[in-house]
Structures are given as structure tokens and as C-alpha cells.
């Protein structure tokens, strides 16, 4: 039981910290709520004066009288209250936006630090839901719930003082009915919290499934599974609809409790004042009766605001359970930048390095040691699963070894600030990641401040110029997400152009010619040989053509180095 409660307790603790951080931006919203309520009390008193004067005049001489000052005050207060409502919405939006910006930035920093290794354990659709939808679900917590929680205490107390001035007995009635509201809301809130968590779970499953099916839409169509997948998505959507309606049902139950308490107060007060009017007439009774009846809705208005905002807290609790599950940031360590790269190049060394992704599958690397001198090329060979990509991911900083030490120019890789490691390294993988936009924008991704001439030179070096010359807009031609519109070899050349533009001293190549035909593979390898000149290169590949790249070769098997020899 204690283990089951741990995530909930952690989520509540995280929410408390975030509420303290977002409390200051929410204070103006609370102040405007209180100011609006004071104006509403003034409106109620002014309206009671106008109506009492009219009823009294009609009872005395058959003609209704008008209290001009009270009527004018009512109009002025109405305009002022409308202005406060506008300001309230503006400040509430600002408070929610500031909080979402802070939480989303923290979540993105955690995801970026974890790197691609996180995708081995978490679905990308799940992560996208956390950063987008679940952060958005926190908006109401900061823009509505935080001010509403304080206003639910201060607001009724202020109205109660006004009612106490008009009629002490009515104040006791309102106090008694108001105490019924928290009890009913607490009962309804227990079910709403569980319903909200289940709704988020259904949303994550639907989004993850939909993202998978969009990515694999070609396979689905080719295998004739479109109808089956449509039915499956329809079921997931229906499950989300049912769970969403359960959340709304719990919210309506909370609202019903509030409405019943308000109705009970109005009925009791109406019966009381009706009896007084029948016995003693309107003298001394009419204005207090009208004022109290007009103030009764205002007494419950803060509670109604809190009731609506309470659902925002339930949504935030469900979102918090996912946000706290993100990888934590590492403890800060003394960072050392490498300042002698340009003069001395980059030397890489692995010293008895061990790494395990999944204990049930054994170690990915175990006791691996090698050294690559500045300007040297090292080819890592071996079958799939031998640990080649694990070496690359360690050097990219996406994962830290479980044992041993990795150094770059003698500095432990874990001591380097990410910016320093990024400046040192250029990487080309099996499938280059290209974004929707122009070819120029995709090359500039390596160094956004590069000039037009530098981009053109990088394209020529990667042998993109011949392909680009055939396009009507040249480097400004647009491509789709993932390089849609380019062949595998053309996409790889764009990645090589990026590496040329970055001009980093350490070049990491992870199966750069996979999925290419022999002719294209030879052309890409020729471009990579020119790129490798003067750089420290580590090439991971099991392609026989790539093994002719030159340099020293290490054969890996099950995370161990079997042999090391020169490559002609």
C-alpha cells in the first residue's frame, strides 16, 4: 500500500512546490477577485435601495419612487466591475502562461539531457503528450485554482460581514448553508481525482497509438489493415470519450451540491422575510430583506468559482504524476571545456568501459578499452548488437557508462559541459534526421550563423551541387518531414553537408551507408573520406565497403573487443 501511494505522494509534493513558485503571479488575480466582490456588495446595496424606494413609494401613494443616487451608483459600480473582470482574465492568463513556460522548459531540459536513450524505455507519443498536453493541463491550476482557493475563504467572509450589517440572523443562515458545500465537494472530488487520472491514461494510449499508425501508414495500406486499424483507433477514442464523461459527471455532482446549498439558503431566507413582511409590513424590513437576498448569490459565487477550478487541480494532479516520472537532472559537476582542440586535435580513449541497457539482455559493453589518437580513423566492426552504436551514443553524451572511464583529450566525458561536447562532435547516422523546410535550412541546422558562401561550399564538398542544380529553387527547394522528396543517398549527402559546415574535429559515423545501394554507397563513402581528412574519426559499420574506409579496425562481439588491426 505504501508503494502504491508513493507516486501520488510525490505528485502532491511536486504540486505544492509548483504552487509556491506560481503563487506570486496569481496574487493580482486574487486581489482583483476581492475588489470585484466589494463592488458587487456595493451594487447589491444600491439595487436594494432603488427597489426599496420603489416598493415603499408604490405602497404609500401608488407611484413608484426612484433613488437617483443609488441608481447612479449601481451603474458606475457595474462599469467598474466589468473593467475588473477584463483585468482579471488578463492577469489569470499571464499567471498560467508563466507557469506553463517554466514547467515546460524544465521538462524539455530533462528530456534533452536524457537524449535518445530515453526512447528505449518510453514511447515518443507518451513523451509528446507529457510536454504538450499535460503541461497545458496545468494552466488552470495557476490561472484559476490558486486564486480561487484563497478567494473561496476570503470571499464568503467578506460577504458575510456585509450580510451581518444588514441582518445578523441571515448571516447565521448563510454560514450554516455554506459549511455544507465543502463536505459535498470533498465527497465528489474523491471520484473525480480517480476519473481524471484514468482520462489521462486513455489519452496517452490513444495518442501513442495514433502516432505509431501515422508513421507506419504505408505498411498499414500495403498489408490491407486500414479497416482494422480504423476500428482499433475508434475503440481507443470511445474509451477516452467514456472516461472524459466520467470526469464531467463528477464535476456536475460537485456543482449540484453547491446549487442545493444556495437554493436552501434562498428558500429559508425568503420564508423568513415573507413572514416578517406579513406581520410587520415593509417598515424597517424591506431594505435588509432585499439586500440579503441579492447578496446570497454573491456569498456562494466564490465557492462556485472554487468548485469550477477544483477540476483544474484534479487535472493537474493527473499531469503531475507523469511529469515527475521524467528523468531527473544530474548532479552538477565541475565542468571543464577543451580549449586546445584547434591546435592539437581530439584524442578519444575508452578505459574498461561497461554499459548495460537492460539487465535481462546482458551487458551492451563490458570492459571495452581502446584509444584513438588525434587525426586517426578507427573502424568498429561486428554484427548487429555487438555494441558499436553504444560506443557512439556514449561519445555523443546521450548515455553515461556504468563502469570505466571515457576521456576526450584527457578530460572525463562526464565532466564536459554539453555545449563543449557538442562543439567537438559531428555525427552522421543511418537515417539522417531532416526537417520540413528548405535544403538550405537543413544544412544551416549545424551552424545557423553561417554565411551563404559557407553553405554553398559545404554543399559542394558533399557533392550536393549536381543534384541541387537540377532543382528549380536550388538550395531553397523545400522537402518534407524526414527528408520526404529525397532519395536515401541525397538525404545522406545533406547530412554530410551539415558535418562539413559544422567543421567539428571529432567525426562519429554510425552505419552511414546502411540502406543504400552499392553505387550510392560508394559515392557517399567517397564524400566521407574527404570529410574525414584531418579529423579524428570513429566509424561503426558492418558493411564490407565501409571497412575499406581506411584506418585501424576493432572487431566487437557482445561488447568485447576481439581484435585490432590496420585497414588498408
Amino acid at each position: 500500500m505504501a508503494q502504491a501511494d508513493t507516486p501520488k505522494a510525490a505528485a502532491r509534493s511536486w504540486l505544492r512546490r509548483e504552487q509556491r513558485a506560481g503563487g506570486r503571479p496569481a496574487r493580482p488575480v486574487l486581489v482583483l477577485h476581492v475588489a470585484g466582490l466589494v463592488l458587487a456588495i456595493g451594487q447589491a446595496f444600491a439595487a436594494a435601495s432603488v427597489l426599496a424606494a420603489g416598493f415603499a413609494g408604490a405602497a404609500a401613494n401608488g407611484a413608484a419612487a426612484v433613488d437617483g443616487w443609488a441608481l447612479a451608483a449601481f451603474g458606475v459600480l457595474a462599469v467598474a466591475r466589468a473593467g475588473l473582470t477584463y483585468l482579471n482574465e488578463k492577469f489569470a492568463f499571464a499567471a498560467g502562461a508563466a507557469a506553463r513556460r517554466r514547467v515546460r522548459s524544465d521538462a524539455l531540459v530533462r528530456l534533452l539531457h536524457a537524449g535518445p536513450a530515453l526512447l528505449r524505455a518510453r514511447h515518443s507519443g507518451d513523451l509528446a503528450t507529457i510536454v504538450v498536453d499535460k503541461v497545458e493541463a496545468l494552466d488552470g491550476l495557476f490561472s484559476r485554482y490558486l486564486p480561487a482557493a484563497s478567494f473561496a475563504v476570503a470571499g464568503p467572509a467578506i460577504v458575510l460581514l456585509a450580510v451581518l450589517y444588514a441582518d445578523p440572523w441571515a448571516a447565521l443562515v448563510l454560514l450554516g448553508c455554506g459549511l455544507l458545500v465543502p463536505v459535498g465537494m470533498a465527497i465528489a472530488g474523491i471520484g473525480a481525482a480517480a476519473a481524471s487520472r484514468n482520462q489521462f491514461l486513455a489519452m496517452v494510449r490513444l495518442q501513442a497509438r495514433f502516432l505509431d499508425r501515422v508513421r507506419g501508414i504505408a505498411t498499414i495500406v500495403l498489408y490491407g489493415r486500414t479497416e482494422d486499424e480504423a476500428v482499433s483507433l475508434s475503440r481507443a477514442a470511445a474509451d477516452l470519450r467514456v472516461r472524459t464523461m466520467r470526469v464531467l459527471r463528477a464535476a456536475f455532482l460537485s456543482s449540484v451540491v453547491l446549487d442545493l446549498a444556495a437554493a436552501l439558503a434562498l428558500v429559508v431566507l425568503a420564508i423568513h422575510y415573507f413572514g416578517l413582511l406579513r406581520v410587520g409590513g415593509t417598515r424597517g424590513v424591506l431594505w435588509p430583506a432585499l439586500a440579503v437576498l441579492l447578496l446570497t448569490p454573491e456569498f456562494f459565487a466564490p465557492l462556485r468559482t472554487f468548485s469550477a477550478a477544483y477540476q483544474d487541480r484534479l487535472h493537474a494532479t493527473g499531469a503531475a504524476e507523469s511529469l515527475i516520472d521524467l528523468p531527473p537532472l544530474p548532479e552538477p559537476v565541475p565542468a571543464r571545456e577543451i580549449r586546445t582542440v584547434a591546435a592539437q586535435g581530439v584524442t578519444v580513449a575508452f578505459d574498461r568501459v561497461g554499459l548495460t541497457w537492460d539487465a535481462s539482455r546482458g551487458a551492451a559493453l563490458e570492459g571495452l578499452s581502446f584509444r584513438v589518437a588525434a587525426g586517426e580513423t578507427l573502424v568498429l566492426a561486428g554484427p548487429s548488437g555487438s555494441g558499436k552504436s553504444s560506443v557512439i551514443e556514449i561519445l555523443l553524451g546521450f548515455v553515461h557508462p556504468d563502469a570505466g572511464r571515457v576521456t576526450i583529450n584527457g578530460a572525463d566525458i562526464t565532466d564536459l559541459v554539453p555545449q563543449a561536447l557538442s562543439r567537438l562532435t559531428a555525427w552522421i547516422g543511418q537515417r539522417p534526421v531532416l526537417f520540413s523546410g528548405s535544403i538550405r535550412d537543413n544544412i544551416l541546422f549545424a551552424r545557423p550563423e553561417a554565411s551563404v558562401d559557407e553553405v554553398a561550399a559545404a554543399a559542394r564538398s558533399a557533392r550536393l551541387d549536381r543534384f541541387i542544380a537540377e532543382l528549380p529553387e536550388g538550395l531553397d527547394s523545400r522537402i518534407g518531414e524526414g527528408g520526404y522528396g529525397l532519395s536515401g543517398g541525397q538525404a545522406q549527402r545533406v547530412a554530410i553537408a551539415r558535418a562539413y559546415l559544422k567543421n567539428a574535429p571529432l567525426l562519429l559515423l554510425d552505419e552511414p551507408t546502411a540502406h543504400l545501394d552499392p553505387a550510392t554507397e560508394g559515392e557517399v563513402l567517397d564524400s566521407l573520406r574527404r570529410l574525414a581528412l584531418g579529423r579524428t574519426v570513429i566509424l561503426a559499420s558492418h558493411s564490407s565497403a565501409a571497412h575499406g574506409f581506411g584506418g585501424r579496425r576493432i572487431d566487437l562481439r557482445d561488447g568485447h573487443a576481439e581484435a585490432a588491426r590496420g585497414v588498408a
Side-chain angles (χ1 to χ4, degrees):
M1 187 68 181
Q3 292 180 349
D5 290 341
T6 299
K8 297 179 182 178
R12 288 194 294 268
S13 177
W14 183 87
L15 280 177
R16 284 194 294 269
R17 290 196 304 269
E18 290 299 322
Q19 287 175 26
R20 287 194 294 270
R24 179 171 295 180
R27 288 174 190 169
V29 182
L30 174 60
V31 172
L32 290 171
H33 272 315
V34 172
L37 183 61
V38 171
L39 294 182
I41 293 172
Q43 277 188 284
F45 282 168
S49 297
V50 172
L51 294 174
F55 289 143
N61 52 29
V66 177
D67 188 337
W69 287 105
L71 187 60
F74 181 86
V76 171
L77 292 173
V79 173
R81 193 178 180 188
L84 287 180
T85 300
Y86 167 75
L87 291 176
N88 199 332
E89 292 295 329
K90 184 177 180 180
F91 280 105
F93 175 81
R100 283 181 284 129
R101 191 181 305 114
R102 183 184 68 255
V103 174
R104 182 171 284 121
S105 296
D106 178 75
L108 285 173
V109 168
R110 293 172 184 272
L111 291 179
L112 291 174
H113 174 77
L118 182 61
L119 296 178
R120 296 175 182 265
R122 303 286 294 273
H123 194 284
S124 57
D126 182 18
L127 299 176
T129 301
I130 291 174
V131 175
V132 179
D133 294 327
K134 298 202 173 184
V135 172
E136 287 297 316
L138 297 174
D139 176 71
L141 176 72
F142 300 99
S143 63
R144 293 184 292 273
Y145 176 78
L146 285 182
S150 299
F151 187 51
V153 177
I158 294 172
V159 176
L160 209 59
L161 291 175
V163 174
L164 190 65
Y165 167 76
D167 186 351
W169 185 87
L172 291 175
V173 173
L174 287 181
L175 179 62
C177 292
L179 292 176
L180 297 176
V181 176
V183 177
M185 289 178 63
I187 295 173
I190 294 173
S196 180
R197 286 192 296 270
N198 292 334
Q199 182 204 24
F200 269 121
L201 179 61
M203 183 184 298
V204 169
R205 288 175 177 170
L206 176 61
Q207 291 185 336
R209 187 177 187 87
F210 184 75
L211 181 60
D212 267 347
R213 273 47 185 180
V214 169
R215 287 174 173 170
I217 193 167
T219 303
I220 292 172
V221 172
L222 288 175
Y223 281 87
R225 297 297 303 272
T226 52
E227 292 186 5
D228 294 339
E229 291 300 330
V231 171
S232 178
L233 286 172
S234 176
R235 289 173 180 168
D239 181 53
L240 176 60
R241 174 183 59 79
V242 170
R243 294 173 187 261
T244 302
M245 295 307 295
R246 287 174 181 168
V247 174
L248 294 176
R249 181 175 62 188
F252 286 140
L253 288 175
S254 178
S255 179
V256 166
V257 172
L258 185 58
D259 290 337
L260 288 176
L264 176 62
L266 283 172
V267 169
V268 172
L269 291 172
I271 293 174
H272 170 67
Y273 287 119
F274 181 74
L276 291 179
L277 289 172
R278 288 193 62 182
V279 173
T282 62
R283 184 179 180 86
V285 177
L286 190 57
W287 184 87
L290 291 170
V292 168
L293 291 175
L294 290 173
L295 284 174
T296 298
E298 299 298 338
F299 175 82
F300 289 97
L303 299 175
R304 193 178 302 279
T305 301
F306 176 74
S307 175
Y310 190 72
Q311 308 307 315
D312 294 316
R313 186 183 185 280
L314 297 179
H315 287 305
T317 302
E321 292 178 5
S322 296
L323 286 165
I324 63 173
D325 197 33
L326 292 177
L329 291 174
E331 294 294 328
V333 296
R336 296 175 295 185
E337 295 221 20
I338 298 177
R339 304 182 184 279
T340 58
V341 171
Q344 300 179 4
V346 172
T347 300
V348 177
F350 274 52
D351 183 15
R352 296 187 296 277
V353 172
L355 175 66
T356 301
W357 294 102
D358 185 352
S360 63
R361 297 169 58 186
L365 299 176
E366 188 173 359
L368 180 63
S369 298
F370 63 82
R371 185 177 184 276
V372 188
E376 184 185 3
T377 294
L378 175 68
V379 178
L380 298 176
S384 297
S386 60
K388 303 186 301 296
S389 295
S390 296
V391 171
I392 300 296
E393 293 200 30
I394 289 175
L395 291 172
L396 289 171
F398 294 153
V399 64
H400 296 313
D402 302 326
R405 187 167 180 257
V406 178
T407 60
I408 296 180
N409 281 8
D412 196 303
I413 194 171
T414 59
D415 291 343
L416 296 178
V417 293
Q419 294 82 357
L421 186 60
S422 176
R423 285 197 301 270
L424 289 174
T425 310
W427 168 75
I428 300 175
Q430 301 180 31
R431 300 179 184 274
V433 178
L434 302 182
F435 304 99
S436 177
S438 68
I439 296 175
R440 183 188 305 278
D441 292 338
N442 275 277
I443 297 175
L444 278 170
F445 193 79
R447 190 155 58 90
E449 71 279 5
S451 66
V452 174
D453 291 340
E454 288 174 323
V455 174
R460 286 194 301 271
S461 299
R463 298 291 175 87
L464 267 175
D465 49 343
R466 290 177 294 178
F467 158 64
I468 295 297
E470 300 175 358
L471 300 177
E473 297 182 59
L475 282 171
D476 294 315
S477 300
R478 297 188 65 81
I479 59 176
E481 181 183 355
Y484 184 80
L486 299 180
S487 68
Q490 291 166 347
Q492 201 66 292
R493 289 184 183 278
V494 174
I496 295 173
R498 275 182 184 167
Y500 269 110
L501 186 63
K502 188 173 184 180
N503 196 27
L506 175 61
L507 179 61
L508 304 178
L509 306 174
D510 187 7
E511 302 284 4
T513 59
H515 317 297
L516 300 180
D517 61 83
T520 305
E521 181 182 30
E523 294 177 357
V524 169
L525 285 174
D526 184 57
S527 296
L528 290 174
R529 286 190 187 95
R530 292 194 305 275
L531 176 61
L533 293 175
R535 293 180 170 85
T536 304
V537 181
I538 296 179
L539 166 64
S541 177
H542 58 255
S543 166
S544 57
H547 293 169
F549 195 78
R552 184 162 53 95
R553 170 174 166 175
I554 294 179
D555 292 312
L556 297 180
R557 183 171 297 276
D558 298 328
H560 297 275
E562 286 194 331
R565 57 180 182 271
V567 177

